[in-house]
Amino acid sequence: LRDNRIELVRASWHELSISVSDVSLSDEGQYTCSLFTMPVKTSKAFLTVLGVPEKPQITGFTSPVMEGERMQLTCKTSGSKPAADIRWFKNDKEVKDVKYLKEEDANRKTFTVSSTLDFLADRSDDGAVVSCRVDHESLNSTPQIAMQVLEIHYTPLVKIISSNSWPEEGQSIILTCESKGKPVPEPVLWTKDGGELPDPERMVVNGRVLSISFLNKTDNGTYRCEAKNPIGRNSTEYVLIVHDVFNTLLPTTVIPSLTTATVTTTVALTTSTTTSATAINTRDPNALAGQTGPDHALIGGIVAVVVFVTLCSIILLGRYLARHKGTYLTNEAKGAEDAPDADTAIINAEGSQVNAEEKKEYFI
């Protein structure tokens, strides 16, 4: 061996060692060690040199890319022996659906490997990091990586957020128009029912925010928020319905009497929101804590029962008085119950009227 890259490390009767620096593919081959004895003794070994792949490069990316366009990114590396392995990742998540191509270099010893990633650009890919990783046994478990940050342009995405889910007359409401796009959308445009806002004094636009104060029924309608950028425009709608002020009924008052009549007074109070809250929180200072309104059905039932019992008592008393008087008149003729006729009863009556004292009647 006659090469300046080969040095003698150790020489003795028992061992001969050499070192090779700056190894190249040409150093691959069979090496022979000979011991010049009679006969000559030899030993052979085959040296395999690995081709280290070059750092990969990603091609095919043009910035920016419009949403919906097809992207084809190619990752290529050469000089690997044996052929290197290429893997694609998007935000650290491996992409499996790729094309793989292996070609032999001109020296017929190493390989050039390429892989193509094909997909449709989506707004969710904006800002995503696409990486191409080359794995090879010569890299000692430290892969070579090439990265590309995606820039996707897309039309605005619009959404309206309301500050009041149940707007009432006299209240206010704030409508916020959220618009996301790339490039950043221009200031949004607010319209009502296809035209301009009818009352600029109450309907104030500040950037993406629409504020409406002192709501009334004329504010009912469809409010549209439209955003646009150089890519396109988009819009969304919000239907505003202004509700009536909450109505409050005062508790029913019942006036008891000795008759079956029940007098009920109901007062309906319709005011603004502040007045309604005051009416609801008002309490009778003379009322007991926790006391609730009377039960009309219960009171009516009690009165009906009282009237019915009274009528039954009057009827029974009348019948008793009538029967008492008849019994008194019958006892007046005591002893004549068995007489066949009226004349005999008079004759047989105890204490004849001829000789008896005059009787008197008293009605109590």
Side-chain angles (χ1 to χ4, degrees):
L1 297 177
R2 299 183 182 277
D3 195 315
N4 294 330
R5 296 180 297 111
I6 301 176
E7 297 180 357
L8 182 62
V9 177
R10 184 177 181 182
S12 68
W13 292 104
H14 306 287
E15 181 181 346
L16 183 64
S17 300
I18 61 173
S19 66
V20 181
S21 60
D22 194 15
V23 176
S24 64
L25 293 175
S26 60
D27 294 327
E28 182 174 281
Q30 182 172 283
Y31 288 75
T32 304
C33 172
S34 300
L35 178 59
F36 293 94
T37 60
M38 293 299 293
V40 177
K41 297 179 180 180
T42 62
S43 179
K44 298 180 180 180
F46 190 88
L47 175 63
T48 301
V49 179
L50 298 178
V52 180
E54 298 178 356
K55 186 175 181 179
Q57 293 183 348
I58 297 177
T59 58
F61 179 75
T62 56
S63 182
V65 179
M66 305 302 170
E67 183 180 26
E69 290 185 358
R70 180 169 295 278
M71 296 182 61
Q72 288 186 343
L73 302 180
T74 301
C75 178
K76 180 183 290 187
T77 179
S78 59
S80 60
K81 179 180 176 292
D85 184 28
I86 297 180
R87 301 166 66 186
W88 284 98
F89 294 85
K90 183 187 293 185
N91 288 337
D92 297 329
K93 183 178 180 180
E94 186 172 2
V95 181
K96 295 291 187 180
D97 189 14
V98 296
K99 296 179 180 179
Y100 183 82
L101 180 62
K102 180 177 67 173
E103 298 177 345
E104 194 175 51
D105 293 336
N107 57 18
R108 305 186 67 83
K109 292 183 179 181
T110 58
F111 297 89
T112 296
V113 181
S114 63
S115 179
T116 302
L117 177 63
D118 190 347
F119 63 98
L120 293 177
D122 186 79
R123 64 182 61 196
S124 61
D125 295 329
D126 183 53
V129 178
V130 175
S131 58
C132 163
R133 192 174 82 178
V134 176
D135 294 313
H136 193 263
E137 53 187 303
S138 64
L139 299 176
N140 297 325
S141 302
T142 305
Q144 293 182 345
I145 300 176
M147 294 186 298
Q148 177 66 59
V149 180
L150 302 183
E151 182 181 1
I152 312 298
H153 285 192
Y154 53 93
T155 57
L157 180 64
V158 186
K159 180 174 67 172
I160 295 179
I161 300 177
S162 172
S163 64
N164 193 343
S165 59
W166 187 267
E168 296 181 355
E169 289 184 300
Q171 295 181 346
S172 61
I173 190 172
I174 297 177
L175 301 179
T176 304
C177 180
E178 289 189 352
S179 58
K180 297 179 181 180
K182 196 166 186 179
V184 177
E186 301 173 2
V188 299
L189 175 64
W190 283 98
T191 58
K192 179 190 176 184
D193 297 330
E196 297 181 354
L197 299 178
D199 193 348
E201 294 183 357
R202 293 189 303 110
M203 302 178 178
V204 180
V205 177
N206 185 9
R208 291 175 169 79
V209 177
L210 170 62
S211 302
I212 306 176
S213 58
F214 303 105
L215 291 171
N216 56 64
K217 293 292 185 180
T218 62
D219 297 327
N220 291 343
T222 302
Y223 292 80
R224 177 190 292 269
C225 169
E226 181 179 291
K228 65 178 180 178
N229 61 6
I231 309 302
R233 64 179 61 196
N234 201 353
S235 64
T236 187
E237 296 179 347
Y238 177 83
V239 178
L240 175 61
I241 300 177
V242 180
H243 301 274
D244 295 329
V245 179
F246 181 75
N247 294 329
T248 305
L249 294 179
L250 294 180
T252 304
T253 304
V254 179
I255 303 177
S257 64
L258 298 178
T259 64
T260 58
T262 301
V263 179
T264 304
T265 302
T266 303
V267 179
L269 178 61
T270 304
T271 61
S272 65
T273 305
T274 305
T275 306
S276 299
T278 305
I280 294 173
N281 294 329
T282 302
R283 295 290 186 273
D284 186 0
N286 297 326
L288 295 177
Q291 184 176 359
T292 58
D295 192 336
H296 306 279
L298 179 60
I299 295 177
I302 294 174
V303 173
V305 171
V306 173
V307 173
F308 178 78
V309 172
T310 304
L311 292 177
C312 292
S313 301
I314 294 174
I315 294 173
L316 293 175
L317 182 60
R319 293 189 61 184
Y320 174 78
L321 293 177
R323 292 185 63 182
H324 180 73
K325 183 177 181 181
T327 303
Y328 175 81
L329 294 176
T330 303
N331 290 337
E332 188 178 22
K334 185 176 181 182
E337 291 87 350
D338 298 333
D341 51 34
D343 294 337
T344 305
I346 293 173
I347 296 171
N348 296 337
E350 187 178 47
S352 175
Q353 294 183 3
V354 178
N355 301 321
E357 294 181 0
E358 184 178 359
K359 297 182 179 180
K360 297 181 180 181
E361 286 184 0
Y362 297 90
F363 179 76
I364 298 175

